[in-house]
Amino acid sequence: MPDFPTLAKLAEDLESGRTTSRKLVEACLDKIADPAGEGQRAFIHVDKAAALAAADAMDGLRKVNAAPSRYAGIPISIKDLFDIKGQTTRAGSRALDDSDPAEHDATTVARLRQAGFVVIGRTNMTEFAYSGIGINPHYGTPKGAWNRAQGHVPGGSSSGAAVSVLDGMAHGALGTDTGGSCRIPAAYNGIVGYKPTQRRVPLDGAVPLSFSLDSIGPLARSVSCCAILDAVLANEPIVALKPRPVKGMRLAVPTTIALDDLDAEVAETFERALKSLADHGAVIERIEMAEFHDIGPMNAKGGFAASESYAWHRYLIAAKGDVYDPRVSVRIMRGEAQSAADYIDLLNERRSLIARVNARIAPYDALVLPTTANTPPKIADLADDKAFTTENLRALRNCTLINMIDGCAISLPAHREGDVPVGLMLAGSGGSDRRIFELAAGMEAVIRV
């Protein structure tokens, strides 16, 4: 990954006068506009005039010591799932083309603006956020970090969000995560992606996929960058992140499901990262998680994503189903066959699952597992629907485990420079967000040696 600065470094440069918001925004706009780059596929809409005006405003406020935060003036991207006042929210689809412009910013967008971040534009995504691969037939598919000449998927559904950060088109990104949509593209592109405890960040103003599972989180270049953005999104004070020493960390590796059918590069990179953690004094225990076996049957009829997305889409898909991505509409329509009893069973089974898993992992600081079972597939290899379905499920599987237990999780790059990107996921029960950030900050540099 190119050596772009962290949010902390950008804040220092702004405070010292080494740069200005205007310069940062212009540099990002130049990268988006570069015909040799991925900007035309990573972004659905670019807020050039508004971003430059906001940059000038932040520079003016900084000159009179009135900047709303240290990070005021830093450009970020917004996933096309979020309302931005005056713009149409399309959710990566053509079915919402004629929707009225939003009257208000989504709560999370408003919070980022209040901290002074500059919205650079709306990023591409899997239509209606319903895939972990990142392919979009309407707006094109941005190529991921790995072997761009051949064209590998960027991961989804926050595909453009990850590529915008990877390529310096933004210095942080707002994404969502229902079954891995922040963590998968982070893993595939060698950056950091965070899925918070769902209840910490309001969903208002974001097109839903599954209101039971949807979480709103950041993608950025480091653990500390994600922690800063997460605090803003959760409306919490931005507190300096204190990394925990690796020595003495109590980490559990779930051997049930999470280590099945791994690509060789994923297995090798994951085991090397575990060895490095152990060499630095982490206590690592491999444990069975029998509870994970319950998740497959719970999702056999499409689970929460199918039932809850169908409830939202049923009228729109009846009117405009012909313009939907068929790979998305077929998954939404699975919800039509679920009964009220099926859904109530799901609610009860999930409550039991959460309680049992929380009890199982209570003795440990965190779970550690590969973010995805696969490395980024080639875009061309997924033209076949069967191949797409197989790789999509492999991308989503491990991340979905954490959404189903109402947990929080972060994906860290674990591969060595020049190797195919592989993510290591650190996860905990709901409410353990700060601990996960501290643990991740402590192990961030250690796992790539």
Side-chain angles (χ1 to χ4, degrees):
M1 185 178 76
D3 188 22
F4 292 116
T6 63
L7 295 182
K9 179 63 167 62
L10 289 168
E12 291 173 4
D13 289 348
L14 286 164
E15 287 173 347
S16 68
R18 288 191 295 269
T19 193
T20 64
S21 178
R22 176 96 186 186
K23 289 178 181 177
L24 295 178
V25 168
E26 287 177 341
C28 288
L29 290 171
D30 286 346
K31 290 185 181 299
I32 295 170
D34 181 357
E38 293 299 310
Q40 304 309 304
R41 288 174 288 275
F43 282 83
I44 286 175
H45 175 75
V46 180
D47 292 330
K48 181 175 181 178
L52 289 170
D56 289 342
M58 290 304 132
D59 286 336
L61 288 171
R62 193 174 294 278
K63 285 179 181 177
V64 294
N65 298 317
S69 80
R70 290 188 66 223
Y71 308 97
I74 297 176
I76 58 168
S77 66
I78 306 294
K79 188 176 182 178
D80 192 43
L81 211 63
F82 294 91
D83 285 347
I84 296 175
K85 185 178 179 179
Q87 297 182 14
T88 298
T89 305
R90 292 180 171 83
S93 179
R94 292 294 185 186
L96 297 177
D97 276 349
D98 57 358
S99 298
D100 292 334
E103 295 183 2
H104 307 282
D105 285 342
T107 301
T108 44
V109 174
R111 288 177 176 178
L112 289 165
R113 287 197 202 270
Q114 287 160 9
F117 287 98
V118 174
V119 173
I120 200 84
R122 310 177 71 97
T123 52
N124 199 356
M125 55 179 285
T126 303
E127 183 181 50
F128 293 116
Y130 217 149
S131 147
I133 292 295
I135 289 175
N136 187 303
H138 310 298
Y139 299 99
T141 301
K143 295 175 184 176
W146 177 243
N147 206 348
R148 274 198 169 156
Q150 292 188 5
H152 290 247
V153 301
S157 62
S158 307
S159 54
V163 174
S164 74
V165 173
L166 170 74
D167 287 1
M169 297 183 282
H171 294 290
L174 180 62
T176 61
D177 192 309
T178 305
S181 288
C182 283
R183 291 163 288 162
I184 297 166
Y188 281 1
N189 289 284
I191 62 173
V192 181
Y194 188 66
K195 177 239 175 292
T197 302
Q198 187 200 40
R199 57 185 174 270
R200 292 180 60 249
V201 181
L203 303 175
D204 309 77
V207 175
L209 171 55
S210 164
F211 51 81
S212 292
L213 303 177
D214 291 345
S215 302
I216 295 175
L219 296 91
R221 298 192 182 109
S222 70
V223 174
S224 64
C225 292
C226 280
I228 289 163
L229 291 169
D230 172 76
V232 173
L233 298 176
N235 200 29
E236 297 176 354
I238 300 174
V239 179
L241 187 60
K242 184 178 181 181
R244 291 202 184 189
V246 174
K247 186 176 183 179
M249 286 184 184
R250 298 166 300 160
L251 305 174
V253 178
T255 59
T256 307
I257 296 177
L259 302 184
D260 294 349
D261 189 29
L262 302 180
D263 280 359
E265 297 93 338
V266 174
E268 180 183 343
T269 300
F270 182 65
E271 292 300 330
R272 186 175 66 230
L274 291 182
K275 182 180 185 303
S276 182
L277 289 168
D279 289 346
H280 283 80
V283 179
I284 299 173
E285 184 178 347
R286 296 174 188 260
I287 64 170
E288 292 187 10
M289 295 280 291
E291 298 83 4
F292 283 172
H293 285 304
D294 297 342
I295 294 175
M298 289 170 67
N299 288 328
K301 295 183 178 180
F304 288 108
S307 58
E308 293 175 353
S309 65
Y310 177 73
W312 192 91
H313 283 271
R314 63 190 187 276
Y315 301 119
L316 182 64
I317 209 167
K320 297 185 177 182
D322 59 323
V323 300
Y324 275 62
D325 178 353
R327 289 172 169 173
V328 170
S329 60
V330 71
R331 300 178 75 191
I332 292 172
M333 291 306 296
R334 294 184 71 194
E336 185 179 29
Q338 289 193 43
S339 68
D342 291 331
Y343 185 72
I344 291 169
D345 285 346
L346 265 178
L347 292 172
N348 291 332
E349 289 165 1
R350 188 182 184 218
R351 275 194 290 270
S352 170
L353 174 73
I354 291 167
R356 288 180 286 123
V357 169
N358 286 350
R360 172 86 66 180
I361 67 178
Y364 305 98
D365 291 321
L367 294 175
V368 61
L369 58 161
T371 306
T372 65
N374 55 3
T375 56
K378 291 181 185 177
I379 296 171
D381 289 348
L382 302 185
D384 175 74
D385 284 345
K386 184 177 180 181
F388 172 88
T389 299
T390 297
E391 293 305 321
N392 185 48
L393 291 173
R394 294 182 71 216
L396 289 163
R397 185 194 68 200
N398 286 2
C399 288
T400 298
L401 300 174
I402 308 306
N403 293 80
M404 287 296 290
I405 66 170
D406 194 30
C408 55
I410 195 165
S411 179
L412 306 173
H415 58 287
R416 289 173 172 163
E417 189 70 30
D419 288 349
V420 62
V422 172
L424 179 143
M425 179 163 52
L426 197 63
S429 56
S432 61
D433 299 77
R434 192 66 185 177
R435 182 173 77 239
I436 293 300
F437 274 126
E438 291 172 352
L439 292 164
M443 67 171 61
E444 189 170 20
V446 168
I447 60 174
R448 302 188 76 173
V449 298

